[in-house]
Amino acid sequence: MDRRLNGLTVSSSSNGGSAAVRSSSPTLQPNYSSRLVQDTLEHLASIDLIDLCKEAKVERCRATRDLRSCGRYVHHVLNSCGHASLCEECSQRCDICPICRVPISKSGAKLHLRLYYECIEAGLISKRFDERFQEIEDGEKQLNADVHHLYSLFDVALENNLVSLICHYITDVCMDETAVSSDPVIAFLLDEVVVKDWCKRTFKNIITELQGIYNMDVYAMKERLSLLLKFSLHLKGISNVLDILDSSFKGTLSAQLHDLHHLQESILKTKQHMDIIIWCIRHEFLEGVRSRFTDNSSWSSDVRMRKSEAIRRSWPDAINQSMESSGHDGSLFIEDALNNLDLEEGFMNGTVEGLEIASLQKDGASFLGSNTDQVLGYYPFKNLRSAADLLFLHGGSDMVIAKQAIFLYYLYDRHWTIPEEEWTFILEDFAATFSISRHSLLESLTFYLLDDHTEEALQEACRLLPEITGPTSHPKIAEVLLERGSPDTALMVLRWAGRDGGPHMTSLRDAVTAVRVRVECGLLTEAFMHQRILSTRVKEKNFNKRASGDASQKLKGQCSNWVEVLVTEICCLCIRRNLVDRMIELPWNSEEEVYIHKCLFDFAIEDPIRTTGNLLVVFYFQRHRYSEAYQVHIKLEKVEQDSISKGSVSEEFLPKLEKAIQWRSNLINRCLELLPEVEQQQLRSGNLTEGAVSSSEEVEVPDKFDIPQIPDSLSTSLLIPSSVNSSLLLHRDHPTGLLSSSTFGTSAKIGMSFPNTGPELGNFGSSSHHHDGLFTSSERVLSHQGI
């Protein structure tokens, strides 16, 4: 950044400035036990901050010698008035201060060193730095020297844990509207932009130093651990200064704020990466701890196997019912976590004025975007250094907890089957270093175990779940347990987490999972009540928020969607588990009956050899709605006769189908006898208005619910956040769906297929039938903790 001052251009990013800052940190450390150093630091800490600008300004002697000014650099201040107006030689022969005309004392000490030169004498600033500027005569470079003097004083403050001095300089001087000066140099130094440029310059110098250290071998890096720790403290100090600067820039140009925020983000990521690198150096990048995998190829093969198993066992989508949505794979916890970090975006934006913080990674950008397998192309990481570089140099700095959780997942995956005494100390030290709780450790382990496709891993996860499950546990845990054939454990997880029908709202996908778990556990009535309660609460919440007529229609559609998805899911699950006879006995209301009719009728049309259509007729019989039962019978009979005439039904099943049709016809005739004769004639002639519920009917719902709003529940997780906050996480709401069959393709309206489990009528399928189908969603759920 260049600033113009009295016709001169002051460059805040010149090479000379960088060299100056580097040289201000001497190779030899000052003797902090000496009186001189202690007095100098005390002077710096106690100085009036408005005088800091005056101390930084380069002054020349104003004494007259041979009809012209002396012009030498002034290193001292007059004790009599406090002005830096005379060099040491001229102060011996002058009687008054050239600026204020105050007499100079003839006895005692006339001068004392200016703060900047006092720091040089104490060894806090390199003498080479001073000598370099003694040779400068050019006006532009001379003006730069004033800024560099202030930067050097800031460096001394940063080096000696006096960051609060810089922060107070911003609040008490830069942000003070009364702090003005007619001197253009002082006025320039009072601008907070100078402090921001110092932060940027210091950060870039640290980056340069880190590049050299990070390219060393592990033993050379270990020798520089103390230097890395010092840099970590410096980055923390600079970050604190930027936090104060942020308040001073608010309300100004957005470009300035954006630049400030981008710098802050880069500093935070660099510090987080440095902290993890320091931990890795202490453990020599785990070179002395063996991995359970022979090489990276075998590890990658194992991860691909986990992915394949996740695809195989995943349930279809009950929410996104388009044909396109059925082609996506089931996801692993680690896959969702990495996807939530936005690694590619972080890689593209990790630049500060031409200097990429991604240059700190050892292997450059070779592992980013080099695989066609999208997120899984990043995992497993090549080694511990690659894991640290990829996670902590990319993605947002606010996702550090999620990044640490992924790092833990990687460590568990690397060592899980090895005897514990060989590697558990690593996890314990990691937790102690980064203040990670036992709950978070076990949570990351559980996520790994649920991704691992082996039965032993599943049993260990089930053993750990009682200890870690709570209100912040993510509902995907229950979803994966259900997919892996443990619905009873999934139900207990829902109840331990407080999602067993409590007063809190939930997402539609979580509601579908809860319904599935209950049906798979044989708790049909409980599943029915759960969907009824949730649907009612959605109506209460949405209609109480109604603001306009258009919004009301939108909210009304959302309510209907909840009812449709949950009721259809229960219906399809009952068909799969041969529970339709129990399901139709439940007290469904008129809105729910729309989707019961739709699901059973569409399935009966698609597969006429099963008894689903007959049970739909019984559904109306049980409610004494004989005319509607008759209309359903007529439609089914037409479909069944068409199937027979076209030869769609094999000879093996034809007698059973004809017998079922005859049985239903006899039952219809007997029930019609209960109707008045006139109505019977109208039905048989087709003149009676159709009263059966159809899938296209609109169900009216109340306009308003005057009931207090139910607060939404917040589900959080260390690895996969579930709050709707973008400071990001890791869960992707997995759709839910149901049944598949090789002999029966479901209609797009149903959005799911049913298993072909046997040739017999009434055999609706086995609970162990494999579910083909994939699920994805664009919706992302985050937590304040989150990966």
Side-chain angles (χ1 to χ4, degrees):
M1 180 183 296
D2 292 340
R3 298 289 301 270
R4 294 196 62 83
L5 184 60
N6 283 359
L8 297 177
T9 301
V10 179
S11 174
S12 61
S13 57
S14 63
N15 293 333
S18 298
V21 174
R22 286 196 297 272
S23 61
S24 66
S25 299
T27 303
L28 297 177
Q29 290 294 320
N31 181 12
Y32 286 100
S33 62
S34 70
R35 186 65 183 175
L36 178 60
V37 173
Q38 294 175 3
D39 290 344
T40 302
L41 292 177
E42 183 178 354
H43 184 192
L44 177 63
S46 60
I47 191 173
D48 188 347
L49 294 176
I50 193 67
D51 293 334
L52 198 61
C53 298
K54 300 176 182 178
E55 293 285 353
K57 182 183 178 183
V58 176
E59 297 282 4
R60 291 183 180 270
C61 181
R62 305 189 186 195
T64 302
R65 301 181 60 171
D66 300 328
L67 302 179
R68 62 186 180 87
S69 296
C70 171
R72 294 178 181 178
Y73 287 100
V74 177
H75 292 190
H76 297 78
V77 176
L78 295 174
N79 289 332
S80 57
C81 61
H83 286 134
S85 56
L86 296 173
C87 64
E88 187 175 12
E89 180 182 344
C90 292
S91 66
Q92 302 300 323
R93 64 180 182 83
C94 293
D95 297 327
I96 61 174
C97 172
I99 297 177
C100 64
R101 318 301 290 180
V102 171
I104 299 175
S105 175
K106 298 297 183 179
S107 61
K110 298 181 179 181
L111 306 170
H112 67 268
L113 276 173
R114 301 178 69 191
L115 177 60
Y116 175 77
Y117 296 99
E118 191 177 351
C119 290
I120 291 178
E121 291 296 323
L124 296 171
I125 299 176
S126 173
K127 291 185 178 181
R128 294 193 302 272
F129 184 35
D130 178 48
E131 292 169 357
R132 182 177 183 276
F133 282 100
Q134 297 295 334
E135 301 171 359
I136 292 178
E137 297 295 340
D138 180 75
E140 178 180 348
K141 293 183 179 180
Q142 179 61 58
L143 191 56
N144 276 332
D146 301 295
V147 178
H148 296 145
H149 278 203
L150 183 62
Y151 286 173
S152 296
L153 294 175
F154 284 166
D155 289 336
V156 174
L158 180 66
E159 191 80 21
N160 294 277
N161 298 324
L162 293 174
V163 176
S164 59
L165 180 142
I166 307 173
C167 296
H168 282 291
Y169 182 83
I170 299 170
T171 58
D172 299 347
V173 177
C174 298
M175 297 175 64
D176 185 0
E177 296 180 356
T178 64
V180 295
S181 176
S182 59
D183 187 326
V185 174
I186 298 297
F188 177 73
L189 297 179
L190 292 174
D191 194 339
E192 60 265 25
V193 174
V194 175
V195 183
K196 188 194 77 171
D197 290 344
W198 170 80
C199 293
K200 187 179 297 184
R201 185 191 307 264
T202 306
F203 174 58
K204 292 175 68 175
N205 289 333
I206 292 176
I207 288 287
T208 302
E209 295 290 342
L210 291 178
Q211 286 175 338
I213 296 175
Y214 287 173
N215 287 327
M216 298 177 180
D217 59 54
V218 63
Y219 300 106
M221 294 172 72
K222 206 166 186 177
E223 293 177 354
R224 289 162 176 79
L225 269 178
S226 59
L227 184 59
L228 292 176
L229 290 171
K230 184 182 75 171
F231 285 152
S232 180
L233 291 175
H234 288 181
L235 290 176
K236 183 178 180 180
I238 298 172
S239 178
N240 292 336
V241 172
L242 290 176
D243 287 337
I244 302 299
L245 272 175
D246 183 67
S247 61
S248 69
F249 277 97
K250 284 183 179 178
T252 59
L253 297 177
S254 59
Q256 291 180 339
L257 269 178
H258 176 76
D259 185 42
L260 192 68
H261 292 165
H262 188 63
L263 177 61
Q264 176 75 293
E265 176 72 8
S266 298
I267 289 174
L268 290 176
K269 286 199 290 188
T270 302
K271 183 184 183 304
Q272 292 165 6
H273 177 257
M274 186 188 305
D275 291 340
I276 205 73
I277 287 293
I278 289 173
W279 182 86
C280 292
I281 293 173
R282 287 174 46 227
H283 292 275
E284 298 181 355
F285 291 93
L286 300 185
E287 292 179 359
V289 181
R290 66 186 178 98
S291 169
R292 69 189 180 105
F293 298 100
T294 56
D295 52 33
N296 211 58
S297 297
S298 62
W299 196 341
S300 299
S301 177
D302 191 78
V303 172
R304 284 193 294 270
M305 178 64 70
R306 298 174 205 170
K307 177 66 176 178
S308 299
E309 286 297 309
I311 295 173
R312 184 191 63 79
R313 66 177 182 247
S314 62
W315 290 39
D317 190 348
I319 299 175
N320 299 320
Q321 298 179 355
S322 65
M323 297 303 293
E324 293 81 1
S325 66
S326 63
H328 294 288
D329 295 351
S331 62
L332 301 173
F333 279 99
I334 187 63
E335 184 178 0
D336 292 338
L338 288 171
N339 187 66
N340 282 338
L341 293 182
D342 289 330
L343 297 176
E344 289 289 353
E345 181 179 355
F347 173 69
M348 298 301 295
N349 295 332
T351 303
V352 178
E353 286 198 356
L355 183 63
E356 291 186 348
I357 62 172
S359 63
L360 295 176
Q361 62 194 29
K362 188 174 183 179
D363 298 326
S366 60
F367 58 87
L368 283 171
S370 60
N371 295 280
T372 59
D373 196 16
Q374 296 183 353
V375 175
L376 276 183
Y378 304 135
Y379 192 85
F381 309 117
K382 182 178 179 181
N383 49 46
L384 197 68
R385 175 65 185 273
S386 296
D389 290 346
L390 176 62
L391 293 176
F392 293 92
L393 288 177
H394 306 283
S397 63
D398 57 340
M399 300 289 289
V400 62
I401 301 225
K403 294 175 181 180
Q404 291 172 353
I406 296 173
F407 199 81
L408 280 171
Y409 180 107
Y410 170 80
L411 294 178
Y412 280 122
D413 195 0
R414 187 180 190 268
H415 306 110
W416 175 243
T417 58
I418 297 176
E420 292 186 358
E421 60 271 11
E422 296 185 26
W423 60 275
T424 51
F425 70 94
I426 297 173
L427 277 299
E428 292 170 356
D429 183 72
F430 187 87
T433 301
F434 297 99
S435 301
I436 297 175
S437 64
R438 171 177 168 81
H439 177 276
S440 299
L441 279 174
L442 294 182
E443 190 176 43
S444 293
L445 173 58
T446 302
F447 290 141
Y448 157 69
L449 293 172
L450 290 175
D451 277 349
D452 194 323
H453 59 285
T454 62
E455 185 64 24
E456 294 79 5
L458 176 61
Q459 294 302 321
E460 181 64 18
C462 292
R463 188 185 68 82
L464 294 175
L465 283 171
E467 182 175 351
I468 68 169
T469 304
T472 60
S473 298
H474 201 281
K476 185 180 177 180
I477 294 176
E479 182 180 329
V480 173
L481 288 170
L482 180 64
E483 292 175 349
R484 298 193 64 171
S486 299
D488 293 330
T489 306
L491 180 61
M492 293 307 298
V493 167
L494 290 176
R495 290 179 173 170
W496 290 329
R499 301 189 184 98
D500 58 342
H504 299 293
M505 292 296 297
T506 182
S507 71
L508 179 54
R509 299 187 187 280
D510 298 344
V512 170
T513 298
V515 165
R516 285 177 165 177
V517 168
R518 286 165 170 80
V519 175
E520 290 297 302
C521 290
L523 304 176
L524 180 57
T525 303
E526 186 176 329
F528 166 80
M529 293 302 299
H530 189 72
Q531 74 82 24
R532 174 72 61 83
I533 292 171
L534 290 178
S535 299
T536 302
R537 285 175 182 160
V538 170
K539 295 175 186 177
E540 293 170 358
K541 182 177 180 179
N542 289 346
F543 279 92
N544 283 337
K545 288 183 176 180
R546 184 177 60 180
S548 64
D550 294 338
S552 175
Q553 293 301 320
K554 182 178 179 180
L555 293 173
K556 190 174 182 179
Q558 293 175 353
C559 298
S560 300
N561 185 50
W562 273 67
V563 177
E564 178 182 6
V565 170
L566 295 179
V567 172
T568 301
E569 190 70 15
I570 291 176
C571 188
C572 294
L573 284 166
C574 288
I575 294 173
R576 172 179 179 256
R577 293 182 59 83
N578 199 16
L579 297 173
V580 179
D581 56 338
R582 287 180 54 192
M583 181 195 71
I584 61 178
E585 294 176 351
L586 295 171
W588 304 99
N589 61 32
S590 59
E591 184 181 9
E592 295 161 346
E593 284 183 4
V594 172
Y595 307 112
I596 293 291
H597 175 97
K598 176 180 180 296
C599 184
L600 294 179
F601 186 79
D602 288 350
F603 187 82
I605 291 176
E606 294 289 347
D607 195 358
I609 67 173
R610 296 186 180 274
T611 60
T612 311
N614 296 335
L615 290 174
L616 178 58
V617 173
V618 173
F619 174 79
Y620 289 112
F621 282 161
Q622 291 176 336
R623 288 152 179 79
H624 307 288
R625 290 151 62 179
Y626 304 121
S627 59
E628 295 174 64
Y630 177 78
Q631 293 164 11
V632 172
H633 164 69
I634 294 301
K635 293 179 181 180
L636 290 175
E637 189 175 42
K638 180 179 179 181
V639 171
E640 291 162 345
Q641 293 298 335
D642 287 344
S643 299
I644 293 174
S645 61
K646 293 178 182 179
S648 301
V649 181
S650 64
E651 294 293 333
E652 179 183 359
F653 304 118
L654 184 58
K656 293 183 179 181
L657 176 59
E658 292 176 341
K659 185 177 179 180
I661 295 173
Q662 183 62 38
W663 172 84
R664 192 178 66 236
S665 299
N666 292 336
L667 187 61
I668 285 289
N669 292 332
R670 293 178 61 182
C671 290
L672 288 182
E673 294 174 359
L674 301 176
L675 295 176
E677 185 175 348
V678 174
E679 191 171 339
Q680 293 182 37
Q681 294 176 357
Q682 289 177 336
L683 272 174
R684 297 184 187 279
S685 63
N687 294 328
L688 186 64
T689 303
E690 183 174 350
V693 179
S694 67
S695 60
S696 61
E697 288 187 37
E698 174 114 8
V699 179
E700 294 297 329
V701 292
D703 289 335
K704 184 174 180 62
F705 291 87
D706 295 322
I707 300 176
Q709 298 180 11
I710 307 295
D712 289 330
S713 63
L714 295 178
S715 174
T716 59
S717 171
L718 180 63
L719 184 59
I720 304 182
S722 62
S723 155
V724 183
N725 188 345
S726 112
S727 130
L728 308 269
L729 135 339
L730 120 45
H731 170 66
R732 302 183 64 179
D733 277 335
H734 285 268
T736 49
L738 208 46
L739 313 162
S740 63
S741 171
S742 59
T743 61
F744 152 67
T746 162
S747 67
K749 294 181 180 180
I750 296 180
M752 56 195 71
S753 55
F754 296 79
N756 180 20
T757 56
E760 300 298 330
L761 289 172
N763 182 2
F764 294 96
S766 167
S767 61
S768 62
H769 178 72
H770 163 61
H771 295 31
D772 295 321
L774 315 168
F775 55 78
T776 64
S777 172
S778 60
E779 180 181 354
R780 296 176 58 185
V781 184
L782 307 174
S783 153
H784 66 280
Q785 289 183 321
I787 317 290

